[in-house]
Amino acid sequence: MILCKSILELKNLLNSAHHNGKSIGLVPTMGALHEGHASLITACHKENDLTVVSIFVNPTQFGPNEDYEKYPRNLTKDCQTADTAGADIIFSPKPKELYPSNDMTWVEVTGNIVKVLCGRTRPIHFRGVATIITKLFHIINPDKAYFGQKDAQQVEVLKKMVKDLFFPVQLRIMPIIRESDGLAKSSRNTYLTSEQRKAAVVLYKSLQYAKKLFTVGERRPQTLISAVTSMIAAEPLSHIDYVELYGLPGLVPVPTTITQPVLLAVAVKFGETRLIDNIILEAE
Ligand code: PAF
């Protein structure tokens, strides 16, 4: 595995791969790699000749009071994890390499898709994600790019961006990887105290409860939202940011009865740590 820090070095490495018709897969990450990321890297390794993993804590997707400074960074450990999972190249540039000028060019998806869910409390987040992913796509020119379903809104935003801007890349969306008690793997789980960690399992339990209701025929969005909200609110350490339900694709509003696949998504704070999780509900 090769660790590469500059765009020029990376392009030189990829030139011959492109030239020889080798397929290139990209797994964009912000590091702090866990089994969720490893599953994306392994899938990428299986489906492509060359697997590039980017490790870059992207400053433009963090709001002023968010955790950019304290976001966990451990390049040595991340390189080991990525190598074991099947990475061929790690691209880990400094911020100046990807943002050489303070006068920014942005890529911004607009509309409901970025205003709902996390967009309400993180108004600049998806502009930062769309911009950095555009830069990575242009530098690497991957055939396929891998993202986790845990960041469901990010997935919808990037699908729209790829479609609207005609990016010649296939997005591969991989299932959520969970701890044995159901908590979705996340780099931010490390911020939780042991009490908060125990309490956080309520996210998974409440989504499973909603799935059960849906399976036995419940199709009223508000009933599903209320069931999840009450269950999470009953956990004293939780502070709900949102429990919302939108139609797929595109996070469209759902009328009084569910007739299409929907995303039921939650964001909940435990102390200062904000966790997200979701489930797709779809009639069989
Ligand atoms: O999902 C993430 O870790 C980030 O949002 C991403 C896609 C790597 C962009 O910085």
Side-chain angles (χ1 to χ4, degrees):
M1 193 199 65
I2 300 170
L3 172 61
C4 159
K5 299 206 167 188
S6 78
I7 296 172
L8 189 68
E9 205 186 337
L10 179 63
K11 283 198 158 188
N12 285 339
L13 280 170
L14 295 178
N15 265 348
S16 69
H18 282 302
H19 194 73
N20 295 327
K22 296 224 187 293
S23 61
I24 296 176
L26 168 65
V27 185
T29 81
M30 297 206 300
L33 302 184
H34 49 67
E35 288 91 333
H37 299 109
S39 75
L40 304 183
I41 299 169
T42 302
C44 183
H45 176 71
K46 281 196 188 126
E47 297 179 1
N48 299 277
D49 296 320
L50 210 59
T51 292
V52 181
V53 176
S54 62
I55 297 182
F56 180 68
V57 185
N58 175 33
T60 63
Q61 68 188 73
F62 289 81
N65 299 317
E66 294 183 9
D67 56 344
Y68 174 66
E69 296 299 341
K70 82 163 188 180
Y71 199 84
R73 291 164 171 87
N74 188 340
L75 186 59
T76 310
K77 187 161 173 271
D78 284 344
C79 284
Q80 283 160 5
T81 308
D83 191 15
T84 309
D88 298 302
I89 299 174
I90 303 271
F91 178 47
S92 180
K94 293 255 182 313
K96 266 279 168 242
E97 184 77 4
L98 288 178
Y99 294 105
S101 163
N102 289 336
D103 300 326
M104 284 287 306
T105 299
W106 295 109
V107 177
E108 186 164 17
V109 175
T110 59
N112 209 40
I113 202 168
V114 294
K115 289 194 186 116
V116 298
L117 303 173
C118 294
R120 258 190 256 285
T121 50
R122 308 188 75 191
I124 61 160
H125 176 71
F126 293 109
R127 183 185 69 174
V129 172
T131 301
I132 193 65
I133 293 301
T134 296
K135 286 176 187 251
L136 292 171
F137 283 178
H138 283 314
I139 295 164
I140 296 162
N141 196 9
D143 297 281
K144 295 190 174 83
Y146 295 74
F147 297 90
Q149 177 58 30
K150 187 174 84 68
D151 297 307
Q153 189 173 13
Q154 170 170 282
V155 164
E156 292 305 306
V157 169
L158 292 176
K159 278 182 180 168
K160 179 154 175 56
M161 181 188 88
V162 162
K163 187 165 177 246
D164 288 355
L165 299 183
F166 309 103
F167 277 103
V169 59
Q170 186 190 346
L171 298 187
R172 299 278 294 124
I173 312 307
M174 298 291 137
I176 300 176
I177 303 292
R178 298 181 179 280
E179 303 286 353
S180 56
D181 63 0
L183 180 68
K185 301 251 183 195
S186 163
S187 308
R188 292 188 169 98
N189 289 351
T190 55
Y191 300 156
L192 299 168
T193 65
S194 65
E195 281 74 27
Q196 290 167 345
R197 168 65 188 81
K198 273 185 219 141
V201 76
V202 73
L203 268 58
Y204 176 67
K205 286 192 175 153
S206 66
L207 292 172
Q208 285 304 306
Y209 179 52
K211 184 179 174 185
K212 210 160 141 189
L213 294 178
F214 185 83
T215 308
V216 297
E218 181 56 66
R219 292 292 183 272
R220 289 165 298 179
Q222 206 45 55
T223 307
L224 295 168
I225 290 170
S226 300
V228 172
T229 306
S230 329
M231 211 164 153
I232 298 177
E235 168 47 63
L237 296 183
S238 73
H239 299 276
I240 296 176
D241 178 355
Y242 62 72
V243 176
E244 291 176 34
L245 187 149
Y246 292 100
L248 292 171
L251 305 183
V252 293
V254 176
T256 44
T257 306
I258 298 171
T259 54
Q260 69 183 108
V262 292
L263 177 79
L264 178 53
V266 300
V268 178
K269 275 183 121 180
F270 295 87
E272 287 304 300
T273 307
R274 185 174 170 281
L275 301 180
I276 57 172
D277 202 347
N278 69 79
I279 192 168
I280 293 175
L281 301 174
E282 190 170 11
E284 281 174 5

